[in-house]
Amino acid sequence: MTAIESQQSSSIPFLRAAAVAAFVVIGFMLPRLLGGTSVAYSTLTTIAIFAVMCYGADIVLSYLGEVSLGHTVFWAIGGYAAANLSVKYGLNGWATAAATIALCLAAAAFLGAVTLRTREFVFSLVTYAAAVVAYEIAFNWDAVGGSDGIVGIPPLKLPLLLTTFSGAMQEDLWPIAFALLLLTLAFIARFRRSRLGTTALMVQMNPALAASLGVDPRRIRLAVFVISAPITGLAGWLYAYQRAYVGPDMFESYFLVMMLTAIVLVGRRVLLGPLIGTALLIAQQNLLSLGGDWNKIVLGSVLALVLIFWPAGLVGLYRRITKKTS
């Protein structure tokens, strides 16, 4: 290696770190760059929350090759944990977040142990059935709010050392949502390079090779499924504080379709894919809204079109176009 090549290779980590730092700074300042209005803060906070929600399902779809139709269960667990524990017991955000993580891990371990015995269509069907059962419990069980849900969730409070981070307003929630998004991106990036991530991908792509290396596919699949749950759960946790209400509507198909569309729109196993996909979908709903029901129709139509014509997402479409023009 020449001196020039050595210098260029050593500068790559610095350039990558600088790019990440620029991304973080610009991302955090984005609401102010868009005018600093309450609408800008609210929209970007929602994008951050929904993107985190999608990353949980993305791990299962991208690294297990399975379509989980039950991740709304973890999304709702986060919301209900935040609502019940803050309203009934006055617990702060750290305590409700810890409860969310614990409940999601337990629910995913149970659900995964049952559903991961199945594959593909049957797996999707069983996870969807679990979501239906959870919805009926939430709708009919008064102890968790019943059909009316829980209103009056107090503002999020996160005491830290000598200060307390509060989420009383959308402007206050944005730094918390942005921090959660950054932590999620860092976790996903780490997972992609981890032994579990590479092994899970091998189990999906080449099961015979994985078996020959002594890998237990069921154990790997369960581990990936379990770690995906708290990610989506924490998104539901913050969403409950954002709108100060939770109810059975957290199980609506809208959130499920949002997860799947945001993941496949850009392409699987693209680090910023779910974030970009979520941003595009929320931008359409906020800036080019056609009304509540029409927005759902647009969302479902986009999912269908991508799966039919561009199953590899926009990244795959871009590669196909560049390949033809080269």
Side-chain angles (χ1 to χ4, degrees), residues 60-80:
V60 177
L61 179 59
S62 296
Y63 286 85
L64 296 185
E66 303 287 2
V67 179
S68 173
L69 301 182
H71 260 60
T72 50
V73 173
F74 310 127
W75 163 254
I77 285 176
Y80 274 96

Side-chain angles (χ1 to χ4, degrees), residues 6 11 20 40 71 83 99-101 129 133 154 161 166 186 192 197 200 214 247 273 275 302:
S6 177
S11 65
V20 171
H71 260 60
T100 293
I101 294 172
V133 171
L161 300 178
S166 173
R192 289 164 59 124
L275 174 57
V302 170

Side-chain angles (χ1 to χ4, degrees), residues 119-261:
R119 297 295 301 270
E120 298 177 350
F121 171 74
V122 178
F123 170 85
S124 299
L125 190 61
V126 173
T127 53
Y128 180 73
V132 172
V133 171
Y135 165 79
E136 292 296 334
I137 293 174
F139 188 85
N140 293 286
W141 193 14
D142 292 336
V144 295
S147 58
D148 295 329
I150 300 175
V151 298
I153 300 174
L156 173 63
K157 292 185 178 180
L158 296 172
L160 184 64
L161 300 178
L162 299 178
T163 186
T164 297
F165 292 94
S166 173
M169 301 177 65
Q170 294 296 330
E171 292 84 345
D172 301 324
L173 270 178
W174 166 245
I176 300 171
F178 187 69
L180 180 61
L181 176 61
L182 290 181
L183 289 173
T184 301
L185 287 171
F187 179 83
I188 297 296
R190 178 66 177 173
F191 171 80
R192 289 164 59 124
R193 299 190 301 268
S194 70
R195 182 176 181 180
L196 176 60
T198 55
T199 304
L201 198 56
M202 179 174 61
V203 168
Q204 179 194 163
M205 298 294 189
N206 197 333
L209 176 61
S212 67
L213 295 176
V215 174
D216 183 352
R218 184 175 296 178
R219 183 177 63 84
I220 296 298
R221 284 161 56 83
L222 180 60
V224 173
F225 188 78
V226 168
I227 68 171
S228 75
I231 300 174
T232 298
L234 286 173
W237 164 81
L238 190 54
Y239 185 64
Y241 286 108
Q242 184 192 30
R243 67 174 187 166
Y245 164 78
V246 296
D249 64 318
M250 291 194 75
F251 293 95
E252 279 191 1
S253 58
Y254 165 79
F255 298 109
L256 175 60
V257 177
M258 170 66 74
M259 292 186 208
L260 299 179
T261 307

